[in-house]
Amino acid sequence: MSFARASVWTASSTLTKILCGLVIIKLLAVTYGPEGIGLASNYRQLITVLSVMAGAGIFNGVTRYVAEYQDAPHPLQQLSATASTLVVGAGMLIALVLLLCADPISQGLFGHSDYAPVIRYLAFLQCGIGWANLLQAKLKGIKDARSNALIIIVGCLLAVPGYLACWAIGGFTGALVGLAVVPAIALLPAAYFYQRSTSERLGPLRFGWDSEMAGRLLKYTLMTGITAVTLPLAWVVMRHQLADYNDWQAVGLWQGVASVSDAYLQFITATFSVWLLPALSRLKEKKAIAGEIRRTLLRVIPAVAVLSFGVWLLRDQVIALLFSHQFTAMRDLFAWQLPGDICKVAAYVFGYLVIARGSLRAYVLTEITQFCLLLATSHWLIAEHGVLGAVQAYCITYVCYLLLVIAAFFYWYRK
């Protein structure tokens, strides 16, 4: 599939996903206000972590090796069987931890243990997230953007009624459970479209074990684990720091701006895992890799710049449409958030090269760099400027991070 066709399918599914997410955010904002958004933010962060760590976090590795082995049946069978075993084992382990530690996890996320039942529901839902991610990762490996897009579209159409049902039955507690239902329910369309695909290019969905293949995949578990620990921890620290200096309403304003960024950036970054990662995984020569990165930057940077400028121009309408009058103070935060978004997307183009090459040392270094930059700048700026300081820290972090990864890329290219 060409980049243009992949982009069209990805854009269609991304639009559906964004609309689904915005409906959910709108319900939270209207019903529970900035304080409700702020209280739910740490739990949403946990779901985000589980969206990448459920099933051992091997999914970028699965995409990479499916792209590499799709014409080699025996390694592909070893990959498929080993990946399935890892997903089952990791799902059971994570479920056990969530069930046994529901009270302290609730205490850490919400400040009390009243929402421990929500964590116990999540213990089972994350198993569905893991399997949905595995099936999608294999489809991404053969650049099947159409099937991936349809999985997301159908999943969103199922997720919104599921979320509304949880919210109607359980109030705020049900709304929290519904947030986890949204990614987990994608397993239903993922299973359907997977069984319709060309199985000889994906590998059979059976259990097995190959130690060498497991070692390769577990390297991606470490990479994903670093991501799951560093940046989410930085966001949690920043939220609690902002709540201490201001209140949870200020946290809700910051999370509102971040939600808008997450929504429109999906139009750009969703294509990375479907197209860029498999493409870089199959390239071997540095010149060809550099050409692919240059072409990607020329495509995505103008697009994200136009989108971010449009969001800034229409920020008042965006706030009125997606949130409520209680979020009006958000308008002054976009001027710092949006330049940070542009730098973040540009930096992540280079980051996918690290994933495609499977360089654990480079990956750990990049994640720790982001973590340290966020903590250092936020510690200083939140104390000085409150919620404005949080978005200033975000912007400065990704400007510095982009400069560092560009320098690292040129060092690697000339080495």
Side-chain angles (χ1 to χ4, degrees):
M1 181 174 289
S2 66
F3 181 85
R5 288 184 63 197
S7 297
V8 169
W9 276 109
T10 304
S12 301
S13 63
T14 302
L15 178 60
T16 306
K17 187 176 180 179
I18 289 171
L19 292 175
C20 171
L22 294 180
V23 167
I24 292 169
I25 292 297
K26 180 73 173 182
L27 284 170
L28 281 172
V30 171
T31 309
Y32 304 107
E35 185 176 355
I37 295 287
L39 284 172
S41 58
N42 284 340
Y43 179 70
R44 292 173 64 201
Q45 189 77 68
L46 176 60
I47 294 173
T48 300
V49 170
L50 289 176
S51 294
V52 295
M53 281 306 297
I58 60 174
F59 307 114
N60 283 329
V62 171
T63 298
R64 176 204 168 170
Y65 289 119
V66 167
E68 188 173 333
Y69 297 141
Q70 60 184 277
D71 299 320
H74 182 62
L76 189 61
Q77 290 177 7
Q78 293 177 322
L79 167 66
S80 182
T82 305
S84 298
T85 302
L86 286 171
V87 168
V88 168
M92 294 174 63
L93 179 60
I94 293 173
L96 183 63
V97 171
L98 292 176
L99 289 171
L100 295 178
C101 303
D103 286 335
I105 291 174
S106 177
Q107 184 72 36
L109 295 178
F110 303 103
H112 50 74
S113 59
D114 294 352
Y115 295 110
V118 173
I119 307 301
R120 296 188 181 98
Y121 282 114
L122 183 60
F124 297 99
L125 291 170
Q126 60 85 27
C127 295
I129 296 173
W131 275 101
N133 286 344
L134 175 63
L135 302 182
Q136 288 181 273
K138 296 173 82 172
L139 291 168
K140 289 174 184 177
I142 60 171
K143 294 184 180 179
D144 191 349
R146 178 180 178 275
S147 292
N148 270 287
L150 290 172
I151 289 169
I152 293 171
I153 292 169
V154 176
C156 289
L157 294 177
L158 295 174
V160 171
Y163 174 84
L164 290 173
C166 293
W167 173 63
I169 294 170
F172 187 67
T173 299
L176 294 177
V177 174
L179 291 174
V181 168
V182 171
I185 207 168
L187 176 59
L188 299 178
Y192 173 75
F193 286 104
Y194 182 87
Q195 63 88 23
R196 293 188 59 190
S197 298
T198 310
S199 59
E200 57 267 20
R201 298 180 65 197
L202 296 171
L205 200 61
R206 67 167 69 107
F207 299 111
W209 189 259
D210 181 81
S211 298
E212 183 181 355
M213 189 63 69
R216 295 179 185 179
L217 291 174
L218 288 173
K219 182 166 62 174
Y220 283 88
T221 300
L222 294 175
M223 294 165 69
T224 307
I226 292 293
T227 301
V229 170
T230 52
L231 289 182
L233 179 60
W235 299 131
V236 170
V237 170
M238 290 173 68
R239 290 188 195 105
H240 282 286
Q241 184 182 1
L242 183 56
D244 290 340
Y245 277 100
N246 293 110
D247 50 30
W248 282 103
Q249 183 167 341
V251 178
L253 294 175
W254 175 40
Q255 292 305 295
V257 176
S259 297
V260 174
S261 288
D262 291 342
Y264 85 89
L265 287 183
Q266 289 181 57
F267 276 111
I268 309 299
T269 58
T271 311
F272 288 177
S273 60
V274 178
W275 177 268
L276 183 60
L277 179 56
L280 292 176
S281 297
R282 294 176 69 87
L283 295 175
K284 304 300 180 184
E285 298 294 328
K286 287 186 176 181
K287 186 175 181 180
I289 292 171
E292 185 66 37
I293 289 177
R294 180 179 62 83
R295 286 190 296 272
T296 303
L297 289 171
L298 289 175
R299 289 164 176 160
V300 303
I301 298 306
V304 72
V306 170
L307 282 173
S308 61
F309 184 64
V311 169
W312 182 79
L313 285 178
L314 300 173
R315 60 195 184 279
D316 291 324
Q317 290 81 359
V318 169
I319 294 170
L321 176 65
L322 303 182
F323 300 96
S324 68
H325 66 88
Q326 296 174 289
F327 290 78
T328 304
M330 278 171 49
R331 71 182 316 275
D332 297 328
L333 306 180
F334 284 99
W336 285 93
Q337 180 79 15
L338 299 177
D341 290 342
I342 297 172
C343 294
K344 180 180 180 179
V345 170
Y348 279 15
V349 172
F350 294 95
Y352 269 86
L353 174 60
V354 176
I355 297 172
R357 303 259 64 83
S359 177
L360 179 60
R361 182 174 62 178
Y363 191 88
V364 170
L365 182 60
T366 58
E367 294 300 300
I368 291 177
T369 299
Q370 292 181 76
F371 176 74
C372 293
L373 284 170
L374 275 172
L375 287 187
T377 54
S378 64
H379 181 75
W380 162 45
L381 290 168
I382 288 177
E384 292 287 330
H385 305 296
V387 65
L388 181 62
V391 290
Q392 289 174 334
Y394 172 85
C395 181
I396 293 171
T397 291
Y398 283 104
V399 169
C400 296
Y401 180 62
L402 175 60
L403 295 175
L404 288 172
V405 296
I406 290 174
F409 173 78
F410 279 107
Y411 172 78
W412 169 82
Y413 185 76
R414 295 173 178 174
K415 186 176 179 181

